[in-house]
Amino acid sequence: MIWRLVVLGGVYVLFLGAEGSSRGGRTVTFSRTQQDESQGQGRARQRRDTSSSSGTPRPFHGPPFTSCRTPLTPDEHRVLDDNTQETGFNGDDGAHVILTWVGDGTGVALVLSTFSAPIDSFMTGGSSRLYRSTDYAKSFHDISHQINHTFIREEFEVSVGPGSSVILTADIPVVDHPGGIIFTSTDAGATFKFIQLPFHLAQRITYHFLNPDYLVALSIDGGLWLSLDFGAKWTKVHDGVHSFSWGAGIDMFLSFSREDTVETDERGDLVLKRTTDLGKTFTTIHENIFSFGYIGAFLFFSVMEDPRSPRVMYFSSDQGETFSRALLPSASTEQFYSILDGDVDMLFMHVDNPGDTFFGTMYTSDDRGILFSKSLERHLFDGHRKSDFTNITSLRGVYLTNKLDKDGRIRSVISFNRGGMWRQLNKPENVECEDQVKNCNLHIHGEHSRRNRIVPMLALSEPTAIGLVIAHGTVGDSLSSSQHPDVFVSSDGGYNWRGTLKGPHHYSILDSGGLIVAVETQREGQVKTIKFSTDEGQCWKSYNFTEQPFFFAGLASEPGTKAMNVSVWGFRPEEDGQPMWVVVTIDFQSLITRECNDQDYEEWLAHATDEGDLKRKGCLLGVKETYRRLKKKSVCRNGRGFVVSKKQSPCLCTREDYVCDYGYYRHVNTSECVRQNAANKTLELCLNGEEDELLTAGYRKVPSDRCEGGFNLQLAVQTVIRPCGVKPSLGPPPARSPSPITHFDTARERLVLILVCAGAGVIVLVVIVSAIIAVKGVVQGTSSPVYRFSNLRIQDEDNSITVDLESATSSNGTVCPQDSDDDLIE
């Protein structure tokens, strides 16, 4: 899973999704920072920048805590020594390396090292080296000859698709070449095939998510090309394409420009089309769009219906057959929407507040992506349009994020029911705050902190490690920029936490949660020690994996947490003083030899807390889930065949199974949903091109909630169908049965109509007055908000310490690759 920034109608739409199989945990990039290079070189290469970053004050430590430390026995040390392999990439001049895992459980990894010549040098282009491992990164072999020592385009990485398919893209000049060059492999990189393309690639080739033979490519002249035989033959299926995306099955969506101008998307002149037969025929979905996206089961796009109006969002849950305007606040060109997460049941949407406020409002959708309810106000979104929103994948329904409160401080909140309710995190059980601290809670560092080089990693959870969460955080009233970040762990999906490691670390989950490994971040020194725990971070052992320390770049392990080995990447100076890439792989399988049996597991009821009704203990989203998971005291191997086992039973419905419906919000002091503006329960909305009136009690069930009986709202829904004014598609509208309510014939019905019209007039008047007051407030309130967690400089007001994060050095800013302008779909 990756973050992508998509320009949607001039409004930015950021969404979490998968872009090919080579991303989302399969690919990791390790880099040498300028400071590391200057420290690691005996003498500097003339073509490298050896300037070092200026020193910055060190943050102070937070509240103390203790965690168990157990020394290794001589036998354990000897076993690990016998199962630790070190590989040095002698003579490799790459500034960074890209590690990609191929296939599932194959043990195959490819490493691409590239060196691009500086612009002011006499060299042109650059050089690449390709290495291959078949033993889970224990050893590597140089296979550069398989691709004729060709310079590979670094930004396209090693593109891995379903099965064992691999694509490498050559970096060749456009001039004097009719098309680009790719190398394809169907045997996990054992052999490669040279293919001359009839076009030059504008971006990396996109795999179909199931069939590796189906490839889609966008050329630099806007042509959309399709291959059905893994790149052997290509056919142009459309011209003037701006962006494209696979849909369900073999459906594909694209936006194109009739005028073929660069600024078309800014004017909203793009046309959205769909093909269901791999480019043979196309159907127009909507004209005059800005951009579009596809996530989960939802197609979405933004439209400016009137040149004087803000852009609005439209959603479709049936592959574009029908679509409706999302009931969300509209956004101007200075604002943005952000799709934080989505699946077949619902979407999380962030709507930016006007102005440079660094926050907005988070909404959750219904299962159609149309009705959106307010989930969290003052949701943090920094100046780089980065969010700390995190899906805790180790437990169903859990999400974590940060909010910017009115006092200018950042505080962490967590939801255990898919955004229905949010609350602050509990204080770690082994940490005590000082007396002067009013509110003692755990606050988690997110993407904003990682981007500012405060922490090297984000919160980590895996679906196979039930309930396990590892994250950097600080304890106190709010997230502190001047407090040293420590590592905290939760074993129950975020309900309870425990301090486990002091200072920032890189960490990884192995053996489906049966093993955790960590390496402490050393900003100015070298590393030689790895820590590991077999009881979810309660106790740790340390192992010195090398006698020659090196500058640390990051950790890598096979995705999926099934592996028992981990690789430590870094570099050390060679004999001539030049840096050499080094990888040390430690295999814990020989240390933890016993296979787990039934006595090593326990039944664990998820979401079971001491709060609330004991009868509903463990109920979440309508069901109780009991998992079979490893006991903390059991030291054994789950193994590659481990499968998560759980039992489910339905629960009675309560208000917690409902979110506030459109036009309602949850009151701060109660669990009731309150109407936002008027007392009238009738809400107007546009569904499938028609204007409806929805009668609601203010609640709707959380998508994917499966509760039964209990709290029953008996929602009475009655619609009065009228033309909406905006047609849903360019084709004929679907036939509908006549509405039973089409005329107002009786005196009572006429009276109701008069009262409704009068009420509507009052509402319009109230809205106008409110708008005038709001404009006056904006004009009068000219001062900028106090943002105590600035993306440029972080200042602790109580201690008068200023840390210039632009000059701070990251130990590894590439374990989670940062977004760049390349992620903008123009």
Side-chain angles (χ1 to χ4, degrees):
M1 310 290 286
I2 60 166
W3 289 103
R4 295 201 58 209
L5 187 62
V6 180
V7 177
L8 196 61
V11 231
Y12 292 96
V13 170
L14 182 69
F15 69 96
L16 187 65
E19 182 186 344
S21 297
S22 66
R23 306 291 288 268
R26 290 193 176 275
T27 296
V28 183
T29 303
F30 301 110
S31 298
R32 290 199 296 259
T33 62
Q34 292 181 351
Q35 180 178 10
D36 290 338
E37 285 186 18
S38 65
Q39 292 175 340
Q41 291 179 356
R43 62 176 185 274
R45 286 185 175 92
Q46 293 182 355
R47 60 175 180 261
R48 294 190 186 273
D49 183 7
T50 60
S51 61
S52 61
S53 301
S54 59
T56 57
R58 285 187 173 274
F60 63 86
H61 288 279
F65 61 82
T66 58
S67 57
C68 174
R69 297 290 185 271
T70 305
L72 277 178
T73 67
D75 288 342
E76 290 174 330
H77 206 289
R78 183 168 55 253
V79 169
L80 288 175
D81 284 344
D82 292 340
N83 291 274
T84 298
Q85 283 79 30
E86 179 174 318
T87 301
F89 297 85
N90 295 295
D92 194 303
D93 199 39
H96 56 262
V97 296
I98 301 171
L99 169 69
T100 302
W101 298 93
V102 185
D104 295 322
T106 62
V108 176
L110 296 176
V111 168
L112 176 66
S113 171
T114 60
F115 170 74
S116 300
I119 298 177
D120 57 354
S121 71
F122 293 101
M123 298 175 59
T124 58
S127 61
S128 297
R129 287 190 182 182
L130 184 64
Y131 306 90
R132 185 171 186 260
S133 171
T134 58
D135 53 7
Y136 297 96
K138 295 178 182 178
S139 61
F140 285 89
H141 303 281
D142 191 337
I143 60 168
S144 303
H145 62 280
Q146 293 277 7
I147 57 172
N148 302 325
H149 299 275
T150 305
F151 182 35
I152 301 300
R153 291 190 66 168
E154 182 180 272
E155 66 272 23
F156 288 178
E157 300 179 341
V158 180
S159 184
V160 178
S164 300
S165 55
V166 181
I167 298 177
L168 298 173
T169 305
D171 194 334
I172 61 174
V174 176
V175 181
D176 299 329
H177 288 81
I181 294 173
I182 62 173
F183 296 90
T184 63
S185 173
T186 58
D187 53 12
T191 59
F192 281 90
K193 179 182 178 181
F194 173 94
I195 295 178
Q196 175 75 55
L197 298 176
F199 56 90
H200 286 279
L201 285 166
Q203 60 189 51
R204 56 188 290 164
I205 293 174
T206 301
Y207 288 91
H208 186 268
F209 53 91
L210 291 178
N211 192 336
D213 289 336
Y214 291 177
L215 304 176
V216 185
L218 187 64
S219 61
I220 58 175
D221 60 356
L224 188 67
W225 295 76
L226 181 66
S227 174
L228 303 180
D229 53 8
F230 196 46
K233 297 180 182 178
W234 291 86
T235 303
K236 182 188 284 189
V237 296
H238 213 288
D239 287 310
V241 173
H242 176 265
S243 61
F244 66 91
S245 174
W246 285 108
I250 59 172
D251 288 5
M252 187 189 307
F253 304 98
L254 64 87
S255 62
F256 78 100
S257 166
R258 292 195 180 101
E259 300 179 5
D260 194 24
T261 59
V262 177
E263 299 178 352
T264 298
D265 59 313
E266 297 180 6
R267 298 198 309 268
D269 293 335
L270 294 175
V271 180
L272 179 61
K273 284 188 173 183
R274 179 185 67 165
T275 175
T276 60
D277 52 13
L278 297 173
K280 295 178 182 178
T281 60
F282 287 89
T283 302
T284 298
I285 296 177
H286 205 287
E287 295 182 347
N288 302 323
I289 74 164
F290 281 76
S291 190
F292 78 97
Y294 187 89
I295 183 172
F298 297 97
L299 170 70
F300 55 92
F301 53 92
S302 72
V303 176
M304 178 179 285
E305 298 171 346
D306 187 292
R308 297 166 297 178
S309 303
R311 297 168 177 86
V312 295
M313 294 281 292
Y314 281 83
F315 283 84
S316 172
S317 57
D318 56 8
Q319 303 295 299
E321 291 288 343
T322 59
F323 52 85
S324 299
R325 175 176 172 176
L327 293 178
L328 278 166
S330 58
S332 67
T333 55
E334 297 178 355
Q335 294 175 262
F336 63 90
Y337 296 109
S338 169
I339 296 181
L340 304 170
D341 194 18
D343 54 26
V344 296
D345 292 319
M346 65 177 293
L347 292 168
F348 283 88
M349 173 77 80
H350 172 98
V351 180
D352 181 42
N353 270 35
D356 296 328
T357 60
F358 299 104
F359 66 86
T361 302
M362 185 193 304
Y363 294 84
T364 56
S365 78
D366 64 355
D367 55 3
R368 298 171 299 173
I370 300 173
L371 292 174
F372 281 80
S373 299
K374 186 181 295 184
S375 174
L376 179 67
E377 294 183 317
R378 303 191 67 87
H379 181 232
L380 175 68
F381 238 93
D382 72 8
H384 297 285
R385 292 194 170 99
K386 298 293 181 181
S387 169
D388 291 342
F389 184 86
T390 303
N391 179 8
I392 304 301
T393 59
S394 60
L395 200 60
R396 184 176 64 98
V398 184
Y399 291 85
L400 177 70
T401 193
N402 285 320
K403 58 183 298 191
L404 181 62
D405 282 331
K406 294 181 179 180
D407 60 1
R409 296 190 177 274
I410 297 174
R411 294 179 175 89
S412 296
V413 289
I414 192 168
S415 173
F416 297 104
N417 61 347
R418 305 198 76 181
M421 296 183 66
W422 297 85
R423 71 183 194 187
Q424 287 193 295
L425 280 69
N426 291 331
K427 176 187 70 66
E429 59 187 35
N430 60 339
V431 179
E432 295 295 335
C433 289
E434 297 180 359
D435 294 337
Q436 64 268 27
V437 177
K438 296 181 180 179
N439 300 304
C440 187
N441 297 94
L442 175 64
H443 302 276
I444 301 298
H445 286 283
E447 174 63 24
H448 178 70
S449 296
R450 191 196 67 82
R451 184 179 180 88
N452 284 318
R453 302 174 181 177
I454 298 173
V455 296
M457 286 192 65
L458 303 177
L460 179 63
S461 61
E462 295 286 352
T464 56
I466 298 301
L468 182 61
V469 189
I470 311 173
H472 287 97
T474 58
V475 179
D477 176 69
S478 61
L479 192 64
S480 173
S481 60
S482 56
Q483 181 177 315
H484 214 55
D486 297 320
V487 180
F488 299 86
V489 65
S490 173
S491 297
D492 55 7
Y495 284 96
N496 298 288
W497 296 83
R498 181 180 179 84
T500 185
L501 293 171
K502 296 295 291 184
H505 284 69
H506 291 253
Y507 36 76
S508 183
I509 298 174
L510 306 178
D511 192 36
S512 301
L515 180 65
I516 305 174
V517 295
V519 174
E520 187 174 1
T521 300
Q522 300 287 348
R523 292 180 180 269
E524 300 176 357
Q526 303 182 46
V527 299
K528 65 176 182 179
T529 303
I530 188 169
K531 305 170 185 177
F532 65 95
S533 171
T534 59
D535 54 10
E536 298 185 352
Q538 290 190 338
C539 285
W540 294 86
K541 294 184 178 182
S542 297
Y543 167 62
N544 293 334
F545 54 80
T546 182
E547 295 181 354
Q548 294 179 295
F550 53 77
F551 293 96
F552 178 68
L555 287 175
S557 59
E558 184 189 26
T561 73
K562 297 289 187 179
M564 288 286 292
N565 53 281
V566 65
S567 298
V568 185
W569 286 79
F571 67 94
R572 70 163 66 97
E574 295 185 83
E575 293 181 357
D576 62 355
Q578 307 303 330
M580 175 185 69
W581 281 104
V582 178
V583 55
V584 177
T585 301
I586 305 110
D587 190 349
F588 290 91
Q589 187 165 300
S590 297
L591 180 66
I592 307 173
T593 58
R594 187 174 68 86
E595 296 287 344
C596 298
N597 54 45
D598 291 340
Q599 286 70 37
D600 293 306
Y601 295 94
E602 63 182 356
E603 298 290 314
W604 179 69
L605 179 61
H607 299 286
T609 65
D610 296 331
E611 302 174 2
D613 188 358
L614 293 178
K615 294 182 180 180
R616 285 187 49 82
K617 189 173 184 179
C619 283
L620 183 87
L621 299 176
V623 294
K624 290 184 179 182
E625 291 181 322
T626 302
Y627 290 90
R628 179 177 178 265
R629 69 174 188 176
L630 191 65
K631 297 177 181 177
K632 291 184 176 64
K633 295 182 179 180
S634 295
V635 181
C636 58
R637 290 204 312 252
N638 282 313
R640 289 190 170 273
F642 175 78
V643 178
V644 175
S645 175
K646 67 179 178 181
K647 301 175 185 177
Q648 291 185 334
S649 58
C651 299
L652 292 176
C653 295
T654 68
R655 284 183 178 176
E656 293 181 358
D657 296 296
Y658 292 82
V659 294
C660 297
D661 208 342
Y662 174 77
Y664 287 76
Y665 70 97
R666 196 175 296 276
H667 195 275
V668 177
N669 298 324
T670 68
S671 60
E672 296 183 356
C673 294
V674 181
R675 182 69 188 273
Q676 287 180 342
N677 293 317
N680 188 356
K681 293 184 178 181
T682 301
L683 305 174
E684 294 183 357
L685 60 155
C686 178
L687 300 176
N688 299 327
E690 296 172 334
E691 189 175 280
D692 294 359
E693 287 185 340
L694 174 65
L695 302 181
T696 174
Y699 298 84
R700 61 180 172 86
K701 189 178 288 187
V702 176
S704 76
D705 192 295
R706 300 191 294 275
C707 69
E708 299 175 358
F711 181 64
N712 187 5
L713 296 172
Q714 296 180 348
L715 298 179
V717 180
Q718 186 177 8
T719 60
V720 179
I721 303 171
R722 304 185 185 93
C724 185
V726 180
K727 295 181 179 180
S729 65
L730 299 181
R736 288 185 60 131
S737 59
S739 171
I741 305 176
T742 55
H743 301 285
F744 297 88
D745 295 327
T746 67
R748 182 176 180 179
E749 289 175 346
R750 293 193 194 98
L751 178 60
V752 171
L753 178 61
I754 294 172
L755 292 176
V756 170
C757 293
V762 174
I763 292 174
V764 171
L765 181 60
V766 171
V767 170
I768 294 174
V769 173
S770 300
I772 295 174
I773 295 174
V775 170
K776 289 181 64 179
V778 171
V779 173
Q780 294 175 358
T782 57
S783 60
S784 300
V786 178
Y787 186 34
R788 299 185 186 173
F789 206 87
S790 168
N791 59 302
L792 295 179
R793 298 179 66 87
I794 292 179
Q795 179 172 350
D796 186 86
E797 297 180 352
D798 298 330
N799 297 277
S800 301
I801 298 176
T802 301
V803 181
D804 186 354
L805 292 170
E806 292 299 319
S807 62
T809 303
S810 171
S811 61
N812 177 27
T814 56
V815 169
C816 235
Q818 295 183 6
D819 290 321
S820 66
D821 291 338
D822 295 334
D823 287 329
L824 290 172
I825 296 183
E826 298 296 343

